[in-house]
Amino acid sequence: MNGSLIEALRTALDTTLSAMDPDWDRRFLTARELSEAVPALQAHSLGYCQDTTRALVKAVSSHSDTDVDGVRLRLAVEIFAEIPAALISPA
């Protein structure tokens, strides 16, 4: 994978995290607990994540000058999208 793709995803992550409210982590954990307790909400949340990942992959691939195959690009997007949750999730 090319460094410019990683840098673009890193920049997007930094921009997103810096724009979030100071208590986003508390709200995220509360929303995740609720989602885990309500199957319909969990299904909706997973669908939303899938749609968001597809949109990110499409946006990155259409604006990238790299020749990264779809599987690697999707994996990179999924890893970067999971970083905020991994930062605050209890071990």
Side-chain angles (χ1 to χ4, degrees):
M1 194 169 287
N2 182 309
S4 64
L5 175 60
I6 298 298
E7 187 58 33
L9 290 170
R10 184 174 168 265
T11 299
L13 178 65
D14 289 344
T15 301
T16 301
L17 289 175
S18 67
M20 295 176 94
D21 292 333
D23 68 335
W24 73 269
D25 54 340
R26 179 192 57 78
R27 292 190 326 245
F28 173 82
L29 289 173
T30 301
R32 193 166 91 182
E33 288 173 8
L34 179 61
S35 176
E36 289 173 357
V38 180
L41 186 55
Q42 185 176 33
H44 176 77
S45 179
L46 290 172
Y48 179 79
C49 290
Q50 177 75 0
D51 293 345
T52 302
T53 299
R54 284 184 182 144
L56 284 168
V57 168
K58 184 177 179 181
V60 169
S61 63
S62 68
H63 289 89
S64 177
D65 59 351
T66 62
D67 187 22
V68 178
D69 69 80
V71 173
R72 290 180 187 204
L73 179 56
R74 183 176 176 85
L75 180 60
V77 167
E78 287 182 359
I79 289 169
F80 273 83
E82 185 61 29
I83 289 173
L87 293 173
I88 61 167
S89 293

